Every structure is written in structure tokens, then in C-alpha cells.
Amino acid sequence: MASRITPFDDSKEFHQDGPSTGLPPPLLIMPIQIIRPTSADFNEYSDDADTGPSVAPTKLESCQELKDGTYTTTTDLPAPLMITPLQIIRPSCAINDCSIDVAAGSSTAPEKRRPGRPKGSKNAGSSTAPSCGINDYSINPSCGINDYSIDVAAGSSTAPEKRRPGRPKGSKNKNPTPSTKKPKTEDPNSRKIPDIKNFDSGITEGENDNGNRALVESVLMRFDAVRRKFCQEKLGKGILTTADANCRTMKVRTNMTKRIGPVPGVHIGDIFYYWGEMCLVGLHTKTVAGIDYMTTAAEDGSKERLAISVVTSSRLYDNQTEDLQWLIYSGHGGKKSLPRDQKLNKGNEALETSRIKETDVRVIRGKADPCDNGKKIYIYDGLYRVSETSEVTAETGCMEYRFRMERKPDQPNSGYANWKLAEDLRTRGMSTLRQHGFVNQDMSLGKELLRVPLFNDVDEDDNAMPEDFVYITSQDYSSMVTNIHIDGQELELGCQNCQGQSCIDNLSCMCMQKNGGKSPYHNSILVCRKPMIYECGESCPCPNDCKNRLVQTGLKLHMEVFKTTNCGWGLRSWDPIRAGTFICEFAGVRKTKEEVEDGDNYLFDSSRVYEKFRWNYEPELVREDVSERVPEVYNLPTQVLISAKEKGNVARFMNHSCSPNVFWQPIEFENKVGRYVRIGLFAMKHIPPMTELTYDYGVSSTERIGEDGMLYRGSQICLCGSDKCRGSFA
């Protein structure tokens, strides 16, 4: 059913119960639909389910302001044939605006097209109640300037509907619900810091130029903390460059002085997950180019370029196999997108000069990450010399420079050699590579998703196994009395608001609310240490593969228990491990103080004193207020004592270190009988493959040293050998 808009004078007022003084009576409308002529200039039809098809007008009506301030509506369309039933048409005009409120019936007012959706696209069943815009026909909006607004109290409308922006023609999902719409991502550039303000990076000007091991590790940890935070906030593209730019602006960097040879604090075998990380610690200062060089004065007083580092792209040439002690490096220039002969300038010139001068060049090898869909990881492999330069014809038909680089002797084989060994172990298996030292194929006896082999190359003739224990994959709390009361409040088991959704994107999830409304993980990486992390438990109705159940998913890394030189059995990974990666749960038997045996060397005790360290992001580096800093002090309701002496998993073989690469985090989730605190072990920093995993056992006993403080002493002598070794632990 439709009604025709009639010109009126807005100086007079209409009422639903009759016209006011001076106004004509309302029009009479009969229940016969309006028929309007078609036009070749306006070939679009719209269907109304209530009134049948309606032919669109050949010309839109217009609203014009007269000299006396009133408005008139003009049209070239013929009048409708007949109109009923009785209804009131009541105008109200705003500034430069015609607004029509129809108390009953329908409206045939032409409606403007909306931007976005092309002609003929679907989604015809979507809502027709848009928000009011400038120069816009809308139904049930709040009226705006230069806007036609029609308020229909009852009935249907045959007005042509404006097209909404969105999906292209033929796309699916005609009626998306709000829950399926992706949230808008924030532009990472909005988090860039324009200049340094009142921020103390803790790194002096001298340390910016020349660093040490502690500074290198600190810079890398601080950068990655910022990156994780930006990922948690689901910023758009540019997260890495924004995190890098903020660290540079706030002077969170070291070793900025270019040099030939080793870089202070960077060890052979160190791995980097982002090119910019190498730049922040001075290993390779070029942000894009694979050849880094410096300009020096030659003997004749002229200037010459010397290469200081190169980053390989893992390209192989002429079917040559990349060797552990040498590689073929391709010069820069002449890309496939723009084939041309390479020139002996810039980086190529620097490598050739290094060959002539026989100077050292740092080599960083780029390899695919086996744990992240082939994304590249960079491994520092030590110092090389350019031994030969050749010119060859590349696949593009253009001339290309090739530099043969040979590794200097007497360097640790902890870089690319370790990477290749771990790669072969993952793909070829242990028995084919190690004829000696193989003790056990799988210590977990099939309980873990991946095998946990036992290896001893310290005393190869000794096939002795570790002392007997029962392998379990999670905490054994059978001897404990179920305690579902924490801080005097009864815990509500299960999240009843998940509704089968993934809790990562479901802020109504009770577990997520306990985490501050944000997921503690991003792509299975811990974002921040917290007093407590809450995971969805067995009674939560979210899916079993919920991403908020990280610690409950078991071992995902290729682990190996191996014999150390002086610390008994140890634990290492065949996979590279990124900072924040979940390694495993500390599995064992939950005990009370009275149940703990003297001399239990496999005991985890949350009440011990642990070395403090900062791991979370700094609010200043992400343009947040300092008050939003996430606390890193654990908040455990009771003392947690777990013994892995009789029952345990791979965590029982993780040794102590005063400079660890792993830390523990309390995790709370419930099972069928109650809610318990578990201990998750996470990577503190990037850990190369075949590197021993260690965490701080803490100390428990104290000795007073006057009134100024206490000296903590452990019951066992520490042999970690780090610069920060305190001499004892446990």
C-alpha cells in the first residue's frame, strides 16, 4: 500500500485527531495501489512483499524553499489513480529539510541509492531502516540537515530502497549477524611514538653504541613484548615496523656502531624471528638490503667499502648443496621483476673488497620456521671470509655475481650446524643419525603426541636410564582434598556464556572476563605474565579446541632428554622456540607441606624466592598510560607444592639456572571435581634448537646479614656457570 507525498505549508500544524485551524482536511485514500509510468531512463524495479511490485518513478520529487520560508514539492509524475483509506499526512520541516511523518499506511517516497553495493547484488532481505544522512531518503531515522525522513507508524513501503555498501554482486551471507562481523582493526601507525618524551630506556649513550649479552637479551625481550601486545590488540598490518620504530625512537637498542667481526653480546647460534631484531642489536644494520657494509679510509687516502655482514635467502645455485662450512652468496641487483646485469658497486663492491683485504664478514642464514608455516628465521652462524668471486649467467639471462664464502675455523658449531642436526632429527629420526648414545626411543611410552627420546653422548657406553618414575602428562591431585573456595568465595565452575563459541573472540566468556576481557594468548603465544591466568575448563561449553585452553593441550614440541656434562639429565628441543611459547606443564603429584619428603630434588615450590625480572611490555612503548602496566607478581591463593619424583613428565628433567630461558606461570582451570592451579612453563626468550631448557628453581632458606637485608641460600650448589650465578638453589 502506498501514498503520495503532497506539498504543504510547515507553518501550520497537523494532528492525528484532525487538522488545526487553517489547514485542509486530510486526503482520502482508497485501497488501490498506485500505478506510475515506466521510463527508459530509470530501469530499476523493487518488489514489496506486502503490496506487490511497484514501478519506480521517472523523476524524483524535489523539495524547494520558497521566498516566504515555506517548502513545495515538485514532480513530473502523474497523480495516482485512486487512494484510500483515510489517513493523515503530517509534515514537519527542519533547516533545509523535508521530513514527513505518516501516522498510518505506507509511503512511495523515492529513496536515494546508497554507496557501495553494485546494481543487481544480493542481500535483498536486509533491514530497510538506515541511519539518517545528508541529502538522504531514509525510513525511521533521526532527521538531519538536507534530509528527507519518513516516519511510518504502520503499513508497508513500496519506495525503492537505497543500496548499502558492502559485499560485491553474487557474494554469500545475505543477512550477517553482528557476531559474525569482524571488529575494525586499529591502524598501527596510531601507536607510533613521534618523539622521545619522559622515558628512561635504562640504556646509556655508551651502551647504545657498544653493548653486552645482558643488553642484547633485554632489547630483544622488550621489542618482542611490544610486538605481542600489538598482536593482542589485533592491530592491522604494520605491527612489526611500528614496534621497531617505537624501540628506535625510545632508544631501546644497542651496538649501533658499525664494526667488522663479532658483535658484543650476540652469540653464534642466536636466532631472530624478525629482520628488525638483528638491526636493534647491531648484528645487521641494513633494514632491507642483504649486504651490510661500512665505508673506511684506504691506504692511499681514498674511501673504500668493506662488507660487515650478509643475510642469506637459502637460494641454491647450480644444484649445489649448501654446506655447513661454506656457502655461495648471490650479489645484489638484477631482480627477476626487472632483469638486468648486476654491477660491481655498493654491496657487491664491498664483498669484493673484503675478499681482497681478507676481512671477516658475519653470516646470518635465513631458514624456514618448521613451527610457523615456513616463515623465515634468521640464524647467526659466525664469521666467514670471501674466498672467490665469479660472474655467471643467471636464469634471467643476465650477468650475476657469485661470492663463495668459507667459515672461519675454531668457532663453536652451535649455529647452522645445530640447526641442521635438529632439522635432520625431526625429519629422519634419531636412530638413523645417531649410531651411539641412543638409549630410549620414547620415555613417555606413547602418552605424549610426540615421542620423547633419551640420548646420552657423554658416556656412550652407559645405557642406564633415569631413576624409575611413572610418566604422566598433567598434575596428579588425587591425594588432595578438592578446594573450590579461594579468598573465602566459592568458585563458579564453568563458563556458561561461551555458547559453543571460541572464547578468544567471545568477551561474554566468564573466563575471559577474569583475564581482564582480553585473551592471554595470541597464536598460542603468551602475551603477558600475570598474577593468574584463567583457562576454560571441562565444564565450559566452548569447543574442545578452544584457544583459551593452551596449557591443557599437551606437549607440542619435539623434546629430547639428554645427558649433560655435570648436571645429570637435561631437556632440550629439536624445534626453535619463540619467546612466549608454551613448552609444557610441570606435571607431578600435588602435595601438602607435611607430605613433602626431605631431599626431594624434583620439587616445585611456589613459595621460594625467585629472581625478579621484567618480561611484559612497557606501556610507554605502546603509547599507553603507565597506570595500565600489567603486574607480574604472582597471586596464588595457597602455596603450590608439586613433586615429580614418583610421577612426572619432561619438566622433571629441566635443570636450574640463575640465568634461565624458561619461566613458570600459574594457570587456573577446573575439571569435573574442582578448580586447581597448574604450573605452565613458557619460553622467556627466543631459544635455538638443541639448546638446554632451564628455569629458576628459586631459594628457600635465608641468612641474615645485619639490619640491611637478608642473603638467600639454597640447599644445593649451583653449577649453571652464568654471570649472575648466586651459588645455590632450592
Side-chain angles (χ1 to χ4, degrees):
M1 191 66 63
S3 60
R4 172 112 178 237
I5 302 176
T6 307
F8 53 84
D9 184 352
D10 73 341
S11 63
K12 303 181 176 95
E13 183 180 0
F14 285 86
H15 299 277
Q16 290 184 355
D17 56 353
S20 60
T21 305
L23 294 180
L27 300 177
L28 295 178
I29 305 175
M30 294 183 65
I32 301 178
Q33 70 180 63
I34 299 172
I35 301 177
R36 298 187 176 183
T38 61
S39 171
D41 296 329
F42 201 97
N43 270 331
E44 180 161 324
Y45 296 82
S46 65
D47 292 335
D48 190 321
D50 295 328
T51 62
S54 171
V55 181
T58 59
K59 252 187 190 180
L60 299 178
E61 296 172 343
S62 61
C63 181
Q64 299 179 356
E65 183 179 3
L66 302 181
K67 292 181 179 181
D68 60 356
T70 61
Y71 292 82
T72 180
T73 304
T74 62
T75 179
D76 294 337
L77 301 180
L81 300 180
M82 295 186 68
I83 48 177
T84 59
L86 181 64
Q87 64 176 355
I88 298 174
I89 302 176
R90 182 179 59 224
S92 64
C93 262
I95 301 175
N96 295 329
D97 174 75
C98 287
S99 176
I100 301 176
D101 185 5
V102 183
S106 57
S107 170
T108 59
E111 185 172 355
K112 291 165 81 177
R113 293 184 180 276
R114 292 181 186 153
R117 199 178 294 276
K119 179 178 178 180
S121 62
K122 298 182 181 182
N123 199 15
S126 57
S127 172
T128 60
S131 60
C132 190
I134 298 175
N135 295 325
D136 181 36
Y137 289 92
S138 60
I139 299 175
N140 280 335
S142 60
C143 206
I145 299 175
N146 295 329
D147 176 76
Y148 288 87
S149 177
I150 302 175
D151 185 6
V152 184
S156 59
S157 170
T158 59
E161 183 182 353
K162 289 203 284 184
R163 296 191 177 276
R164 297 186 178 179
R167 296 181 179 272
K169 179 179 180 180
S171 60
K172 298 181 180 181
N173 196 12
K174 294 183 178 181
N175 298 304
T177 59
S179 61
T180 62
K181 293 182 179 179
K182 294 183 179 180
K184 293 183 178 179
T185 58
E186 181 182 350
D187 182 4
N189 289 326
S190 65
R191 296 296 190 98
K192 277 190 177 180
I193 301 172
D195 52 38
I196 189 168
K197 297 182 179 179
N198 298 326
F199 177 74
D200 181 11
S201 67
I203 303 175
T204 65
E205 291 294 332
E207 291 172 336
N208 275 135
D209 295 330
N210 301 283
N212 51 53
R213 184 61 179 175
L215 275 173
V216 167
E217 291 186 340
S218 173
V219 168
L220 293 176
M221 288 173 60
R222 294 166 78 177
F223 164 80
D224 198 65
V226 173
R227 182 199 65 81
R228 294 191 307 268
K229 175 58 179 176
F230 285 163
C231 288
Q232 183 191 48
E233 296 293 334
K234 298 182 179 180
L235 303 189
K237 294 181 179 179
I239 286 175
L240 293 176
T241 53
T242 300
D244 177 81
N246 287 0
C247 287
R248 289 173 180 270
T249 301
M250 306 299 266
K251 298 188 180 301
V252 180
R253 55 194 301 194
T254 187
N255 293 323
M256 293 300 101
T257 299
K258 287 192 173 185
R259 72 197 79 220
I260 295 174
V263 175
V266 180
H267 292 175
I268 294 176
D270 284 349
I271 59 176
F272 305 87
Y273 281 82
Y274 168 54
W275 189 293
E277 291 179 322
M278 299 185 291
C279 300
L280 289 175
V281 298
L283 181 63
H284 187 85
T285 62
K286 292 286 186 181
T287 56
V288 177
I291 306 174
D292 194 5
Y293 56 86
M294 60 186 295
T295 302
T296 61
E299 295 179 358
D300 59 358
S302 62
K303 293 184 178 180
E304 60 183 8
R305 293 187 176 99
L306 288 173
I308 60 177
S309 62
V310 297
V311 181
T312 73
S313 61
S314 298
R315 290 174 59 189
L316 302 180
Y317 306 98
D318 301 331
N319 297 321
Q320 294 176 350
T321 301
E322 197 174 40
D323 191 80
L324 297 179
Q325 302 301 322
W326 59 267
L327 59 90
I328 303 296
Y329 190 85
S330 175
H332 79 86
K335 297 180 180 178
K336 290 185 178 181
S337 59
L338 185 61
R340 65 182 185 274
D341 291 342
Q342 292 185 355
K343 297 180 180 180
L344 195 63
N345 61 3
K346 297 182 180 179
N348 294 342
E349 176 191 352
L351 282 172
E352 174 62 9
T353 306
S354 294
R355 182 190 68 80
I356 298 171
K357 298 287 185 179
E358 297 183 345
T359 57
D360 296 339
V361 181
R362 299 186 295 270
V363 169
I364 302 103
R365 302 211 190 204
K367 300 297 292 184
D369 182 0
C371 303
D372 193 6
N373 298 322
K375 291 184 180 179
K376 191 169 288 186
I377 294 181
Y378 303 96
I379 310 111
Y380 175 47
D381 197 34
L383 303 179
Y384 282 65
R385 291 277 179 91
V386 182
S387 62
E388 182 182 344
T389 303
S390 59
E391 300 177 8
V392 300
T393 301
E395 296 177 356
T396 60
C398 299
M399 191 277 291
E400 187 174 88
Y401 285 101
R402 302 278 174 82
F403 302 92
R404 180 182 174 90
M405 306 184 67
E406 298 183 358
R407 195 170 191 264
K408 292 185 66 176
D410 302 326
Q411 295 184 95
N413 289 322
S414 56
Y416 186 57
N418 268 356
W419 179 276
K420 286 295 294 181
L421 172 61
E423 187 176 62
D424 291 340
L425 288 170
R426 290 193 304 268
T427 57
R428 295 170 55 190
M430 188 172 184
S431 58
T432 58
L433 294 174
R434 294 171 169 175
Q435 301 300 326
H436 303 284
F438 180 74
V439 179
N440 189 287
Q441 184 178 3
D442 183 12
M443 293 199 63
S444 75
L445 301 177
K447 294 181 180 179
E448 298 285 7
L449 296 175
L450 300 172
R451 292 185 305 165
V452 183
L454 184 69
F455 180 70
N456 181 2
D457 62 350
V458 175
D459 7 74
E460 296 180 357
D461 297 331
D462 186 3
N463 292 326
M465 298 278 289
E467 59 183 276
D468 290 339
F469 73 101
V470 177
Y471 197 100
I472 58 176
T473 59
S474 188
Q475 185 182 140
D476 184 349
Y477 46 83
S478 57
S479 62
M480 297 288 294
V481 177
T482 303
N483 179 16
I484 59 174
H485 295 79
I486 294 180
D487 296 334
Q489 297 181 354
E490 184 173 349
L491 292 174
E492 183 178 352
L493 299 181
C495 171
Q496 304 305 318
N497 300 322
C498 297
Q499 299 177 353
Q501 301 178 27
S502 175
C503 298
I504 291 294
D505 301 317
N506 183 12
L507 297 184
S508 64
C509 169
M510 186 200 323
C511 305
M512 203 60 63
Q513 291 176 4
K514 290 182 179 180
N515 288 318
K518 296 178 181 178
S519 169
Y521 311 120
H522 175 77
N523 288 345
S524 300
I525 299 291
L526 181 66
V527 176
C528 292
R529 295 168 69 210
K530 287 189 172 184
M532 182 72 73
I533 287 178
Y534 303 90
E535 288 193 357
C536 295
E538 295 179 3
S539 62
C540 294
C542 56
N544 291 330
D545 60 350
C546 175
K547 296 179 181 179
N548 193 39
R549 290 177 172 173
L550 181 63
V551 175
Q552 306 167 56
T553 57
L555 196 63
K556 297 266 190 319
L557 299 171
H558 293 86
M559 292 294 186
E560 175 185 85
V561 177
F562 73 105
K563 192 68 173 289
T564 67
T565 304
N566 55 4
C567 295
W569 297 100
L571 183 68
R572 60 190 175 196
S573 170
W574 294 350
D575 296 310
I577 305 176
R578 189 168 194 158
T581 299
F582 169 65
I583 297 174
C584 64
E585 177 186 348
F586 190 95
V589 179
R590 185 70 180 270
K591 295 193 173 184
T592 63
K593 276 186 176 182
E594 295 73 21
E595 295 173 330
V596 174
E597 300 177 3
D598 293 336
D600 188 344
N601 296 328
Y602 298 93
L603 182 68
F604 173 86
D605 185 354
S606 65
S607 66
R608 292 174 181 167
V609 178
Y610 296 87
E611 190 73 23
K612 294 182 179 179
F613 66 96
R614 183 173 60 186
W615 192 75
N616 293 350
Y617 70 94
E618 296 154 88
E620 300 93 331
L621 294 180
V622 298
R623 298 192 73 174
E624 286 186 357
D625 190 84
V626 181
S627 62
E628 299 184 36
R629 186 186 301 274
V630 180
E632 300 188 47
V633 179
Y634 299 136
N635 181 24
L636 292 166
T638 58
Q639 180 183 9
V640 176
L641 292 167
I642 305 173
S643 174
K645 184 177 181 180
E646 300 173 353
K647 296 181 180 180
N649 64 347
V650 293
R652 77 191 299 274
F653 298 106
M654 198 177 296
N655 284 317
H656 161 82
S657 176
C658 298
S659 298
N661 51 22
V662 175
F663 66 87
W664 60 274
Q665 165 70 51
I667 313 285
E668 184 178 290
F669 58 89
E670 102 288 342
N671 58 17
K672 297 178 181 178
V673 296
R675 184 176 286 269
Y676 293 92
V677 174
R678 314 294 177 91
I679 302 300
L681 297 171
F682 293 84
M684 182 185 296
K685 60 191 75 171
H686 301 333
I687 306 175
M690 308 307 292
T691 301
E692 184 177 3
L693 304 177
T694 59
Y695 76 99
D696 185 359
Y697 284 15
V699 292
S700 54
S701 60
T702 61
E703 293 181 1
R704 293 188 177 277
I705 52 174
E707 298 179 356
D708 297 332
M710 294 183 178
L711 177 65
Y712 292 90
R713 295 288 186 186
S715 59
Q716 300 185 46
I717 298 175
C718 181
L719 302 174
C720 71
S722 72
D723 295 336
K724 297 181 180 179
C725 182
R726 55 179 177 256
S728 63
F729 65 92

